[in-house]
């Protein structure tokens, strides 16, 4: 016998399945929604439904998109000859915030992880090769995460996938985070920061 | 004692919540340990690259009820070769996965720890394809299993040994042959030397061809023992090989 009316119970259960939301938070959100105007609650419900129904993966770069192609692929101002390879659509958001990159993207939708049985065939790597072959691309920037899996994916793409093509392949630099302390940097990062040092211009 | 220090090798990691990871370690003093590294996925994490699969680290951990918490980690050996080379990294993942399957939490086994660290060091330095077969034979020996490679497991014949039948536990001769992987005489002799413990000699004098044969056989042997497929061998040998 539950303590709440059935619809409230159902909502709490559904909210509780969301990442980072435990039973207590789910309960708090449910009771908040019970209090707000029907209009506000409907707006939230509509937003969720609209997202699920209208958003797909871009046919060209596998970013999230409304329609067949994403906003970046259809933007005429973007440089179509520079391609940035990322793991997830949310990495695009992080790179876009820098305002530095003006090219286009390719999302792998994951990363190679042998320990979990995820190999290149589970990712959009073949599609990347097809894109590089078909489009007029001069440089591919491998922007996978700077952890072991990301590094290995980048190494695999550079050595086994892109080697036959005449494109410049580059990897994001790694170094020290701005605002951090040198003494806390791990050896590998500090070592790479030294290797990648640059002179004052 | 809630705080303790130990040395260990990171076997694998799982994402946890927003920025944490669960780190599965094989430690010298406590065997397999599962611990949380808080904030390790943040760019400014103090752990940086130290808690990634294959890292050898000296750790301070806080004993928790279920999972321990990593409070400090320092790399004990750089093992830069493993990160720089796809093949070496692939071979390392097979060894890490094997150790993860055969070890139990809270059960220290110094011989197993020594085997893992020694094999990782050798792989880091030479990248030799025979490190995995050598590692697997020794691991199986520690587990109490030894393939019979000098005579046929069915009839006992010492001549005409042509296939290694992992499910039968050793070599089969031409007339007893049923299933199994055909291996060359050189590979069989190398395996025999590995079983006898002459690891250095095998690492230095075996041809690349025989090394490749033994590498595939080694993955089968460990899979037979743990009674499941190794995720990494499927990816490594089919995709990268």
């Amino acid at each position: 016998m539950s303590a709440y009316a059935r619809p409230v119970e159902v909502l709490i259960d559904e909210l509780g399945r969301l990442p980072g939301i435990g039973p207590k938070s789910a309960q708090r959100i449910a009771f908040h929604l019970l209090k707000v105007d029907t209009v506000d609650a409907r707006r939230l419900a509509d937003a969720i439904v609209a997202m699920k129904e209208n958003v797909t993966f871009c046919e060209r770069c596998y970013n999230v998109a409304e329609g067949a192609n994403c906003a970046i692929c259809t933007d005429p101002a973007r440089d179509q000859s520079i391609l940035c390879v990322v793991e997830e659509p949310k990495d695009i958001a992080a790179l876009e915030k820098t305002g530095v990159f003006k090219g286009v993207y390719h999302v792998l939708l994951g990363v190679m992880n042998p320990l979990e049985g995820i190999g290149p065939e589970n990712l959009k790597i073949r599609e990347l090769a097809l894109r590089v072959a078909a489009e007029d691309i001069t440089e591919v920037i491998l922007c996978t995460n700077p952890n072991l899996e990301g590094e290995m994916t980048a190494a695999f793409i550079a050595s086994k996938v892109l080697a036959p093509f005449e494109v410049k392949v580059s990897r994001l630099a790694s170094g020290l985070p701005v605002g951090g302390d040198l003494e806390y940097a791990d050896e590998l990062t500090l070592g790479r920061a030294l290797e990648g040092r640059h002179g004052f211009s | 004692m809630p705080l303790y220090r130990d040395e260990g090798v990171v076997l694998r990691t799982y994402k946890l919540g927003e920025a944490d990871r669960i780190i599965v370690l094989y430690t010298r003093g406590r065997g397999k340990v599962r611990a949380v590294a808080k904030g390790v996925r943040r760019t400014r994490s103090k752990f940086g690259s130290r808690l990634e699969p294959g890292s050898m680290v000296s750790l301070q951990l806080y004993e928790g009820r279920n999972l321990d918490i990593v409070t400090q980690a320092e790399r004990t050996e750089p093992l830069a070769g493993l990160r720089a080379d796809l093949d070496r990294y692939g071979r390392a993942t097979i060894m890490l996965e094997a150790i993860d399957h055969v070890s139990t939490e809270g059960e220290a086994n110094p011989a197993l720890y020594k085997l893992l660290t020694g094999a990782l060091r050798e792989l880091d330095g030479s990248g030799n394809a025979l490190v995995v077969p050598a590692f697997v034979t020794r691991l199986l020996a520690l587990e109490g299993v030894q393939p019979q490679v000098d005579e046929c497991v069915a009839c006992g014949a010492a001549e005409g040994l042509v296939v290694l039948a992992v499910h039968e536990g050793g070599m089969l001769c031409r007339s007893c042959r049923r299933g199994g992987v055909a291996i060359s005489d050189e590979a069989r002799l190398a395996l025999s030397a590995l079983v006898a413990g002459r690891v250095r000699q095998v690492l230095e004098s075996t041809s690349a061809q025989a090394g490749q044969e033994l590498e595939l056989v080694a993955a089968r042997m460990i899979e037979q023992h743990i009674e499941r497929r190794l995720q990494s061998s499927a990816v490594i040998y089919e995709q990268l090989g």
Side-chain angles (χ1 to χ4, degrees):
Chain A
M1 183 62 202
S2 88
Y4 306 121
R6 181 93 186 111
V8 179
E9 190 79 8
V10 171
L11 181 60
I12 291 176
D13 282 353
E14 288 301 322
L15 289 170
R17 289 175 206 237
L18 300 177
I21 296 183
K24 211 71 189 166
S25 312
Q27 189 183 322
R28 197 163 64 237
I29 296 168
F31 277 95
H32 169 77
L33 291 171
L34 199 58
K35 263 191 278 175
V36 301
D37 283 350
T38 312
V39 185
D40 292 329
R42 176 154 315 274
R43 200 168 51 232
L44 174 66
D46 288 347
I48 295 173
V49 173
M51 183 193 77
K52 283 310 287 178
E53 284 177 354
N54 300 331
V55 174
T56 51
F57 287 112
C58 171
E59 288 171 3
R60 184 165 166 234
C61 74
Y62 302 96
N63 185 11
V64 286
E66 200 178 353
N69 287 110
C70 72
I72 294 172
C73 285
T74 48
D75 184 351
R78 309 288 301 206
D79 183 348
Q80 307 286 331
S81 68
I82 302 182
L83 184 66
C84 181
V85 179
V86 296
E87 288 177 19
E88 301 285 347
K90 57 186 189 226
D91 297 328
I92 293 186
L95 287 162
E96 283 297 291
K97 266 193 240 163
T98 65
V100 174
F101 184 67
K102 300 286 178 224
V104 289
Y105 295 93
H106 184 89
V107 186
L108 298 174
L109 297 179
V111 65
M112 271 163 57
N113 189 344
L115 288 168
E116 280 168 23
I118 301 172
E121 76 285 0
N122 305 109
L123 307 172
K124 300 290 177 194
I125 286 183
R126 209 167 55 89
E127 289 78 355
L128 172 67
L130 292 174
R131 241 185 116 177
V132 173
E135 294 176 22
D136 201 8
I137 290 164
T138 55
E139 177 171 0
V140 177
I141 310 172
L142 300 170
C143 293
T144 50
N145 284 329
N147 52 30
L148 199 55
E149 291 84 18
E151 302 265 337
M152 287 304 137
T153 310
F156 177 80
I157 293 175
S159 65
K160 313 245 164 161
V161 181
L162 296 179
F165 301 104
E166 274 187 29
V167 287
K168 182 179 166 194
V169 180
S170 58
R171 173 95 181 101
L172 274 189
S174 50
L176 299 167
V178 180
D181 267 20
L182 211 62
E183 65 168 317
Y184 287 111
D186 70 300
E187 308 74 30
L188 203 75
T189 310
L190 197 51
R192 290 203 187 164
L194 268 174
E195 283 169 16
R197 69 187 182 276
H198 53 79
F200 281 99
S201 49
Chain B
M1 196 182 66
L3 263 183
Y4 65 97
R5 294 195 63 96
D6 210 335
E7 271 176 45
V9 177
V10 179
L11 298 180
R12 63 181 305 169
T13 67
Y14 302 91
K15 285 185 183 176
L16 176 73
E18 189 85 352
D20 308 340
R21 272 184 203 277
I22 294 177
I23 313 285
V24 182
L25 296 146
Y26 194 72
T27 62
R28 186 196 291 274
R30 299 191 172 213
K32 188 151 80 176
V33 168
R34 289 160 59 84
V36 178
K38 301 211 176 217
V40 71
R41 281 152 65 202
R42 290 186 211 283
T43 326
R44 282 159 109 173
S45 161
K46 61 180 173 183
F47 297 125
S49 69
R50 289 173 193 138
L51 294 175
E52 294 197 294
S55 292
M56 277 192 213
V57 279
S58 156
L59 300 142
Q60 178 168 292
L61 296 114
Y62 186 82
E63 212 168 83
R65 218 178 317 167
N66 190 5
L67 296 165
D68 296 352
I69 294 167
V70 184
T71 55
Q72 284 175 32
E74 261 179 64
R75 201 187 299 274
T76 49
E77 284 178 52
L79 300 183
L82 292 185
R83 283 186 79 101
D85 180 21
L86 269 181
D87 292 339
R88 287 182 209 192
Y89 169 64
R91 289 179 181 134
T93 57
I94 290 175
M95 303 198 293
L96 297 174
E97 199 182 346
I99 292 279
D100 190 16
H101 283 302
V102 300
S103 60
T104 329
E105 279 177 57
E107 213 170 89
N109 185 343
L112 200 58
Y113 182 76
K114 204 172 145 218
L115 169 66
L116 176 62
T117 49
L120 285 174
R121 256 180 231 127
E122 178 65 34
L123 190 62
D124 175 59
S126 68
N128 196 324
L130 282 139
V131 172
V132 175
F135 169 83
V136 167
T137 18
R138 180 87 185 107
L139 176 64
L140 290 177
L142 288 175
E143 292 278 300
V145 182
Q146 184 178 313
Q148 186 177 324
V149 285
D150 297 322
E151 49 189 44
C152 173
V153 282
C155 69
E159 296 293 316
L161 302 170
V162 284
V163 297
L164 181 72
V166 172
H167 53 282
E168 306 265 358
M171 297 297 299
L172 285 173
C173 69
R174 215 165 266 123
S175 50
C176 301
R177 177 176 188 165
R178 46 178 186 270
V181 193
I183 63 169
S184 67
D185 243 15
E186 189 197 355
R188 184 180 66 81
L189 291 173
L191 187 58
S192 168
L194 285 178
V195 170
R198 295 196 299 276
V199 175
R200 185 54 51 193
Q201 175 204 331
V202 173
L203 288 181
E204 278 160 13
S205 63
T206 311
S207 72
Q209 171 67 32
Q212 213 168 23
E213 286 177 50
L214 283 185
E215 223 182 345
L216 288 172
V217 169
R220 297 265 169 81
M221 276 159 52
I222 194 75
E223 284 173 347
Q224 172 76 17
H225 179 66
I226 61 174
E227 296 180 344
R228 69 179 76 188
R229 285 279 279 160
L230 285 179
Q231 301 274 14
S232 47
S233 82
V235 174
I236 306 296
Y237 294 133
E238 280 155 36
Q239 295 301 324
L240 308 184

